[in-house]
Amino acid sequence: MSATATGTWPNDFRTAPWHPTDHFIDGVWAPSVGTGRIEVVNPATGEPWASVPVAADEDLEAAMGAARQAFDTGPWPRMTPSERAEVLLRFAAEVEARSEALSLTNTRENGSPVAETGGAAANAAGILRYFAGLAPHLEREDVRPFPSGVGESVVRRDPLGVCALIAPWNFPINLVVIKLAPALLAGNSVVIKPASPTPLSIRHIVDAAHAAGVPAGVVNLLTGNGRTGDAMVRHPSVDKVAFTGSTEVGRKIAAACGELLRPVTLELGGKSAAILLDDVDLDAFARVFVRSCMRNSGQTCYISTRILAPRSRYDEIVDTITGVVAGAAQGDPLDPATVFGPVAHRGQFDSVLEHLASARAEGARFMTGGDVLPGPGLFIAPTVLADVTPEMRVAREEIFGPVVTIQPYETVEEALEIANSTPFGLGGIVFSADEERAFRVAELVDSGSVGVNFFASNHAAPFGGRHDSGLGVEYGVEGLQQYVSYKSIHRASHA
């Protein structure tokens, strides 16, 4: 372990302990005033391996003050978007240079297999490069004549100010970067708070931003607990809040921002459905099933964990899914061959077990899995539940673990009714050998994003939830627009 002005870093990200005592404030790693600690436990071993400080009020004030000063008097919002884009491109390269450290830290924090986290740096760099490419959108002249012909309006896209970015534990790198990249390109300054179980991997991102030349005070990082996040949301210096996490917490943040008339973006829970039409190609479906329906050991907001199967092919589909899940490797997330790792933390582990107990009590048929694996760590065998009915708890609530449910349907209309019957609306997939038919069905799914025969996030297309799945969007030009304030300057015609 080495402690310097550039922060405290372990000598070996695969095995070494890590106990930093600082936050990143105003361009330096500043010793924490707060003396409390948050313990970080490796869910694959059950062993504590790291800890971080809990920010005190003084730490929060220092970070907010730095961000406010950087916005009010610093160079960042006064640079052109193209100049900021050049910094974002350097930032992307610095992130890629930290790929292995990011991957290993992420895996030790939340148990995501390295097969997943190994791509996190490249994805984060891709997000930064995409938004850097949107600089012309902010720079283009936008002049709009009055319909009456009496004048014209020049429309400006100004940065909002100080943004509070609050991240989840399931994808602690990219679900920060998807907020950070557009916020920075637009000219804002930020204060980041990672989730308590995953407070370390974001330090690599902040270090990369600093190395790329992001000015002091523009990017700040605090670690802490729920109280820290609540104080950030309500802080008078904050002009915008962006949060990814549970719907329960999102409602509280939305209420606070509504009271304060503060812009907020919320990416919340999901209970998405995969509708398999009666002509589905099961071999093709099997190849994308884990990525589409159980990614990251089921701890992904948009995956389609409810499988809706036509009655005419129900048994065949149940057998196919069971075979894929039972045949996928579970174990050490540091092993590149591992598909399913542990559940990320004890609270989520207990929640998944509670849902499985309800499935047993309500009559679901366990095709594979459902048991806690012996030995250390928070491992639950990947589970396929067949004969699930819409009123069962596992059909209604987000489980967020290695569990999929399978429900039969008679008609496509019934399948759509089931798919649209939850309060969520985040993702979804339609599988069919006829892509045009699948597309027509996808248009009827009440969700912010729907895939045809696969699902993936497109950096260039808006991603956001309907209903209880959130407010606003991320990705795309629309994601950038969440971080600007529009100003219209009117001037008369002098013809």
Side-chain angles (χ1 to χ4, degrees):
M1 184 80 71
S2 59
T4 70
T6 57
T8 304
W9 306 91
N11 299 319
D12 175 11
F13 290 105
R14 181 178 290 272
T15 60
W18 194 0
H19 299 281
T21 58
D22 46 20
H23 309 281
F24 192 78
I25 300 173
D26 204 16
V28 298
W29 292 100
S32 178
V33 174
T35 57
R37 305 289 296 178
I38 293 174
E39 186 177 69
V40 182
V41 176
N42 184 336
T45 65
E47 295 296 325
W49 68 280
S51 65
V52 295
V54 176
D57 291 343
E58 295 88 340
D59 298 309
L60 176 64
E61 291 303 321
M64 290 296 176
R68 185 80 263 165
Q69 183 174 1
F71 184 78
D72 289 347
T73 65
W76 189 250
R78 291 154 191 88
M79 295 164 63
T80 67
S82 289
E83 289 170 335
R84 292 194 293 266
E86 288 299 315
V87 179
L88 261 62
L89 292 175
R90 295 198 298 271
F91 187 3
E94 292 288 346
V95 169
E96 286 182 321
R98 293 159 175 76
S99 177
E100 183 179 19
L102 273 167
S103 173
L104 293 173
T105 304
N106 188 167
T107 294
R108 294 177 73 193
E109 285 179 313
N110 71 0
S112 292
V114 291
E116 174 72 56
T117 64
N123 191 40
I127 293 169
L128 289 162
R129 292 185 178 115
Y130 169 75
F131 280 102
L134 292 184
H137 173 77
L138 296 177
E139 293 174 335
R140 67 181 174 87
E141 190 72 9
D142 188 355
V143 180
R144 307 182 191 183
F146 278 60
S148 65
V150 301
E152 63 184 15
S153 301
V154 179
V155 179
R156 298 295 191 211
R157 296 166 181 82
D158 296 332
L160 286 165
V162 176
C163 302
L165 312 183
I166 303 176
W169 48 260
N170 58 331
F171 291 94
I173 299 165
N174 289 311
L175 293 181
V176 169
V177 175
I178 195 52
K179 302 166 178 54
L180 179 60
L184 291 182
L185 180 70
N188 301 287
S189 57
V190 306
V191 180
I192 302 167
K193 181 201 167 292
S196 297
T198 52
L200 293 160
S201 51
I202 193 61
R203 291 173 72 93
H204 298 293
I205 297 296
V206 170
D207 186 57
H210 181 63
V214 175
V218 173
V219 175
N220 305 274
L221 171 67
L222 295 174
T223 52
N225 49 29
R227 179 182 175 277
T228 311
D230 185 62
M232 285 175 59
V233 167
R234 296 177 177 276
H235 197 279
S237 289
V238 169
D239 300 294
K240 157 81 181 184
V241 175
F243 168 80
T244 298
S246 72
T247 296
E248 178 185 8
V249 175
R251 287 186 190 280
K252 295 175 182 177
I253 291 174
C257 290
E259 178 185 340
L260 296 165
L261 296 180
R262 183 164 292 169
V264 61
T265 302
L266 301 171
E267 199 269 276
L268 308 176
K271 190 65 176 175
S272 304
I275 300 175
L276 278 61
L277 300 183
D278 56 12
D279 63 348
V280 60
D281 180 340
L282 286 183
D283 289 336
F285 167 72
R287 288 193 292 271
V288 300
F289 170 77
V290 171
R291 182 77 172 179
S292 300
C293 302
M294 299 187 79
R295 184 182 180 186
N296 197 27
S297 303
Q299 298 166 124
T300 306
C301 57
Y302 62 68
I303 54 175
S304 295
T305 58
R306 292 185 297 148
I307 313 301
L308 307 185
R311 180 79 67 180
S312 62
R313 299 185 65 186
Y314 183 74
D315 291 342
E316 181 186 5
I317 290 168
V318 169
D319 289 345
T320 296
I321 293 171
T322 301
V324 171
V325 174
Q330 182 176 31
D332 181 2
L334 292 172
D335 183 343
T338 294
V339 175
F340 292 105
V343 178
H345 61 86
R346 173 62 66 176
Q348 191 58 35
F349 179 82
D350 292 342
S351 176
V352 174
L353 291 181
E354 185 179 313
H355 280 92
L356 291 176
S358 76
R360 286 191 179 92
E362 292 176 344
R365 180 160 52 109
F366 282 67
M367 300 303 300
T368 188
D371 301 315
V372 176
L373 298 191
L378 302 176
F379 289 92
I380 297 173
T383 306
V384 177
L385 300 176
D387 303 347
V388 170
T389 56
E391 69 275 5
M392 290 183 184
R393 184 179 174 188
V394 290
R396 295 181 289 105
E397 298 181 4
E398 185 175 41
I399 301 171
F400 226 63
V403 182
V404 291
T405 65
I406 309 175
Q407 302 178 53
Y409 70 84
E410 298 290 349
T411 66
V412 174
E413 291 74 20
E414 183 189 6
L416 284 164
E417 182 179 351
I418 296 170
N420 295 335
S421 65
T422 77
F424 301 102
L426 191 58
I429 315 174
V430 181
F431 288 94
S432 172
D434 182 341
E435 286 197 0
E436 291 186 6
R437 182 188 180 206
F439 191 91
R440 291 194 299 271
V441 174
E443 289 185 302
L444 300 175
V445 176
D446 187 12
S447 176
S449 297
V450 187
V452 172
N453 291 327
F454 89 118
F455 193 97
S457 296
N458 177 359
H459 297 167
F463 174 79
R466 297 179 177 181
H467 313 301
D468 288 4
S469 289
L471 298 171
V473 299
E474 297 182 320
Y475 294 112
V477 172
E478 296 82 359
L480 174 62
Q481 291 168 346
Q482 310 290 308
Y483 293 91
V484 301
S485 177
Y486 290 93
K487 176 192 288 185
S488 296
I489 304 174
H490 310 299
R491 56 194 182 193
S493 296
H494 299 288

